[in-house]
Structure formats: structure tokens, C-alpha cells
Amino acid sequence: MEPGWLLTKIREKEMNGKMTASRLLEAIRGADADARWSAAENAADAGAEAIPELAQVMGGNDPEKAKAARVAMERIALASTAPGKEELRRSVSGALADVARGDGALAARRQAVRLLGFAGGAEACDTLAALIGQKDLREDARMALQRIPGNAADRALEQAARKAPAGYESALRRSLRDRKITRRDAGIR
């Protein structure tokens, strides 16, 4: 087959429907850079099932493939936050939490934690609170909890503050205060 065959298939899929996880991963792992980036940019519909494999690619030794996998993971996570996509959001949140708790590459775990701040809900709060105990993920987990709306995130931050490593409790308390700032307090009319 000629080199552009995969790019052609991906562009046809863009016009005819959704990107599948298998097609996304094939393109990202492939040698065709144009196909890789086209797939990454159009990854939103690939779903939660692609996230563990994207995390593995992020831990690989090819920086271009790792970056494309990071972009694809981000597209999937952000697409899951659209109105009416609650079931998808929960499955994406679960897949991101699995990556964050896992023993994969730190870059992939950090990206998963960051994205939980956007796609995660109450179901992600316990995982994020536990990750505050890990030095390499602590700050990302705190910021993710700060972004998640609802009482579960408040409780997780409070729990984490009680168990915080020496010197880190103040950052968690600051996140709790920042979550309670109103529009008026922030100078927004």
C-alpha cells in the first residue's frame, strides 16, 4: 500500500462518522505523521476505551507519538464534558482515574490527573485525594480537585488536608478557600 493510505482512510472517516479507538491507535502508532496528527485532532469520538492505550504510547520512547497521544487523550476528555454526555464523562473519568492510579509513565499519569479536573466528578474525588500523598502528583491532584464542582471535592480536599504531608496542608486549605470565592468576591459583576 502507498504511504498515504491511512491518512486517506482517516479523512474518509472524518467525513463519514466517528473516530474509533482502534483507528485512532493505529494512526498514532503508525509511521505516517500526517495521519497521526489528523487522528489526534479528531480523537474526540474515540471514547474511554482508547485512554489506557494512549497512556502507554505517552510512556514510549517516540516523542512525536507521545505528544499525539497526549493531544488525543485531551480531546477525548474534553469532549466527554459536553452537555448530554454524562455516561461518557463517567466512563472517561474512570479510565483517567485508572491511568492516574497505575504504575505507567509519570507524564501519562500527570496528564490523566490534570484531565480529571475537567472530566472528573464526584467519582474521581477519592482517587485524587489519595494521589495527594504522592509527591510527583500532589500538585496536579490538588488543582484537579479544586476544579471539580460539588461537595465531594470539598470533602476530598478536607480529608487530604488532615492527612497532608508536612508543609502541604496550607496549599490544600488555600484550595478550599478559593473554591468558596464568589463572583462578587472576585470582582466579577
Side-chain angles (χ1 to χ4, degrees):
M1 290 189 179
E2 58 187 78
W5 70 272
L6 187 55
L7 180 59
T8 301
K9 282 184 169 183
I10 289 171
R11 288 193 177 135
E12 286 172 10
K13 187 64 176 175
E14 289 171 18
M15 292 184 283
N16 296 326
K18 298 179 180 184
M19 173 68 71
T20 65
S22 61
R23 182 165 285 164
L24 170 67
L25 293 163
E26 179 182 357
I28 286 183
R29 288 182 175 134
D32 186 337
D34 289 334
R36 179 181 313 121
W37 285 106
S38 180
E41 293 292 326
N42 293 288
D45 292 327
E49 67 184 271
I51 290 174
E53 295 291 325
L54 290 170
Q56 286 182 357
V57 174
M58 286 177 67
N61 58 6
D62 186 323
E64 286 300 314
K65 291 177 183 177
K67 186 174 182 181
R70 182 183 55 77
V71 168
M73 187 185 290
E74 185 175 288
R75 299 293 162 116
I76 293 166
L78 296 179
S80 77
T81 66
K85 302 276 186 172
E86 183 61 23
E87 185 177 328
L88 175 61
R89 187 203 59 76
R90 277 195 299 273
S91 66
V92 167
S93 176
L96 291 169
D98 289 345
V99 170
R101 284 188 301 263
D103 59 359
L106 181 59
R109 294 179 68 212
R110 269 197 173 128
Q111 178 71 351
V113 169
R114 288 180 192 131
L115 291 174
L116 279 169
F118 299 101
E123 73 285 343
C125 291
D126 288 342
T127 295
L128 291 168
L131 292 174
I132 288 174
Q134 296 183 24
K135 187 177 181 180
D136 290 337
L137 298 173
R138 178 175 299 149
E139 190 63 12
D140 295 312
R142 180 186 69 82
M143 293 301 298
L145 278 169
Q146 186 172 326
R147 284 191 294 269
I148 294 174
N151 292 332
D154 287 335
R155 286 190 301 275
L157 283 164
E158 289 165 359
Q159 170 194 351
R162 285 191 294 276
K163 298 177 182 179
Y168 199 69
E169 179 185 355
S170 62
L172 295 162
R173 296 280 176 216
R174 176 62 190 211
S175 286
L176 283 164
R177 280 192 306 272
D178 288 350
R179 286 175 57 80
K180 297 192 181 358
I181 290 178
T182 64
R183 292 173 57 88
R184 187 172 145 202
D185 294 338
I188 300 171
R189 295 180 189 189

